[in-house]
Amino acid sequence: MFSSIEHLNGLRPRPSSVPPLAPSSFPSPSTGKQTVKSSLPTAPERRAGSLSLVLVLGLAAMVVSMMQTLVVPILGIIQNDLGATTAQVSWVTTATLLSAAVFTPLLGRFGDQHGTKPTLLGVLVVMVAGSVLAATTSSMLWLIVARVMQGAATAIFPLALSVLRQEVEPARLPGAMALVSGTLGFGSGLALVSAGLLSQGADPDYHQVFWLAAALATAALIAVAVAVPAPRTRTGGRTDWLGAAGLALVLVLLLLPISQGHTWGWSSARTLALFTGAAVMTVVWVLVERRVRDPLVDMKMFVHRPVLFTNLAGLLVGFAMFAQFIGVSYLVQTPSEIAGYGFGASVLRASVLYLLPSALISLVAAQFGGVLVRRIGARFTLAAGALFGVVGFAWLTFAHDTTASVILAGMVIGIAISFGYAAMPALIVAGVPHHQTGIANGINSISRSTGSAIGSAVITSLLASKTLDNLPPGIPALPAESQYTLSFALAGMAFVLVIGVAMVGLATRRRTPESPATDTPAPSSDRDTTPARLAVKA
């Protein structure tokens, strides 16, 4: 059982009737060659059909999160059916991670430039095609290609947030973003349960799981085509292909050793060479982006205080979320009569009984997260969620010996993740100009994915570093219980750091007459006074 852990691895529009949607202290990267075509809706237009729009985008986001975890329960089946090695089958998950890292920022920026709806539809078509390919192939190579296509679907989430910013009235925007964000955690749990159910029986067939993915992706495609209106804002401009290629190379060089380091060895020449290459390419990419006329990622936006610290929070939340997923999954599957801890649960029981409640509560808590963003501000909502995370992981650290403790602690952690997901898009939206919503949220999605990859690598290595002695013959290696305790404690510390990020890193700096000119607020006529932004300022 334990061996399967290895598988887890511009211009700003300024018509007098439309208030600007970003802080004026944030520099615009646009040039004279860039034009913004804008037709922002009136308040009645925003309200009309907003609920159905949010539900449709929530469905699309849920399908995205399902693509990431759908294969986890069936990796062993894939390995047996295709005669693959552990290292080969691990690429079924690694390929999706790398694809998401490469395509999410590029497609987020493409949506900003050329319209969110056509970009959304294009990504969904690719996801449907990838799911059908996975459902019909029995080749490891083509399965990995299919997973690359499915990984591109991660761009749907930042594109969905861009649509919400355009179509939903400001007073309802935090709640809408919170609901769509909440479907991410719910989709992950639903995918585990669905895959577990479809792979039951004496002769399980992994193809059925991918047919489910194809059906859900098709439903999302049709719903988006019907419910999402034509784009109202397009910035135009050239696509920075050089910057996209550079960012893709940086992310691949970074995430590849993170996801494969446990298999290759953390001190191996290949792992160290890739990490070194990532550092060098990061410097090269930054230098290139600073010289490009229309950069993929405006460096001023990237290091803008709210964006920078929100991405750091995303990295930490992603780490903690995957630590819970891996830790709880394998803790409850450990046979107690052999290891002295655990519950001997099957994969299906582990998903339904121990992980699904956390996913369900996160969907419910998303509604409260949106309310909190409006009432107390996104920064304090993020801190409140992190406090729930500290409590939940402390509970798991000191009391993971009963079913009730594991389930209830997981539900507390689900609330933490949901509040974090509700707050981060609001912080990003309030910190960047309207025409950079897609790319900024795309980078934030990548920060969470990177955190998940780091969490997978760290927890997997911890569990493998100390195993039980004197196990009966034929029993695979089992981690010592202390390794689970350490893993949950590390995840709790990640949430402690999120509290620090929210309360210190994202704190509004007091201005004095001696403050630099860059901190001086703009004239009132050029400020964003939407409730979403005011909530973050609070």
Side-chain angles (χ1 to χ4, degrees), residues 139-491:
S139 162
M140 177 57 70
L141 175 61
W142 286 110
L143 180 58
I144 292 173
V145 171
R147 291 292 290 164
V148 168
M149 297 170 70
Q150 288 182 322
T154 308
I156 289 174
F157 179 64
L159 289 169
L161 296 182
S162 295
V163 173
L164 290 178
R165 190 173 185 181
Q166 294 176 19
E167 302 298 332
V168 177
E169 61 178 336
R172 300 185 182 185
L173 185 58
M177 291 191 299
L179 178 59
V180 172
S181 300
T183 61
L184 294 175
F186 175 72
S188 297
L190 181 62
L192 293 171
V193 175
S194 301
L197 288 171
L198 292 173
S199 59
Q200 295 298 297
D203 187 23
D205 182 7
Y206 73 85
H207 294 93
Q208 297 181 44
V209 177
F210 290 115
W211 279 121
L212 172 65
L216 291 173
T218 301
L221 173 62
I222 295 172
V224 167
V226 173
V228 175
R232 302 177 186 270
T233 304
R234 304 183 186 190
T235 66
R238 298 178 301 176
T239 300
D240 178 19
W241 296 108
L242 183 60
L247 179 59
L249 185 56
V250 168
L251 292 170
V252 169
L253 290 173
L254 175 64
L255 293 175
L256 186 55
I258 289 176
S259 60
Q260 296 291 318
H262 177 66
T263 302
W264 295 345
W266 292 108
S267 60
S268 68
R270 180 165 39 174
T271 301
L272 296 177
L274 287 171
F275 278 131
T276 302
V280 172
M281 271 306 304
T282 298
V283 175
V284 173
W285 175 69
V286 170
L287 292 175
V288 170
E289 289 297 272
R290 290 175 64 89
R291 295 176 179 274
V292 174
R293 179 171 297 178
D294 293 319
L296 175 73
V297 178
D298 176 32
M299 289 295 109
K300 294 184 178 66
M301 179 269 287
F302 194 74
V303 300
H304 190 45
R305 187 183 181 94
V307 177
L308 179 63
F309 281 97
T310 302
N311 288 336
L312 178 57
L315 186 81
L316 294 167
V317 171
F319 176 93
M321 180 177 67
F322 234 66
Q324 182 220 6
F325 171 66
I326 297 176
V328 170
S329 293
Y330 289 96
L331 172 70
V332 302
Q333 291 180 64
T334 304
S336 57
E337 65 276 8
I338 296 176
Y341 68 90
F343 306 97
S346 65
V347 173
L348 179 60
R349 185 165 175 259
S351 301
V352 175
L353 182 60
Y354 294 96
L355 293 175
L356 185 59
S358 175
L360 292 173
I361 198 68
S362 67
L363 185 62
V364 176
Q367 302 303 303
F368 295 96
V371 172
L372 286 177
V373 169
R374 292 197 302 271
R375 296 287 178 86
I376 67 175
R379 182 167 69 95
F380 291 107
T381 302
L382 180 62
L387 183 59
F388 274 103
V390 172
V391 172
F393 276 111
W395 195 342
L396 277 180
T397 299
F398 297 107
H400 51 255
D401 55 346
T402 66
T403 294
S405 287
V406 174
I407 294 174
L408 292 175
M411 294 175 71
V412 174
I413 295 169
I415 295 173
I417 294 170
S418 183
F419 282 9
Y421 276 0
M424 285 186 286
L427 289 165
I428 291 291
V429 164
V432 302
H434 191 287
H435 62 273
Q436 289 186 336
T437 302
I439 179 62
N441 277 297
I443 295 294
N444 188 246
S445 295
I446 293 305
S447 73
R448 294 197 303 271
S449 296
T450 302
S452 297
I454 295 173
S456 174
V458 170
I459 303 306
T460 297
S461 297
L462 280 176
L463 296 182
S465 64
K466 186 178 180 181
T467 57
L468 297 175
D469 299 324
N470 303 319
L471 293 174
I475 300 298
L478 296 173
E481 186 179 6
S482 61
Q483 301 308 99
Y484 287 104
T485 301
L486 179 58
S487 298
F488 296 142
L490 284 176

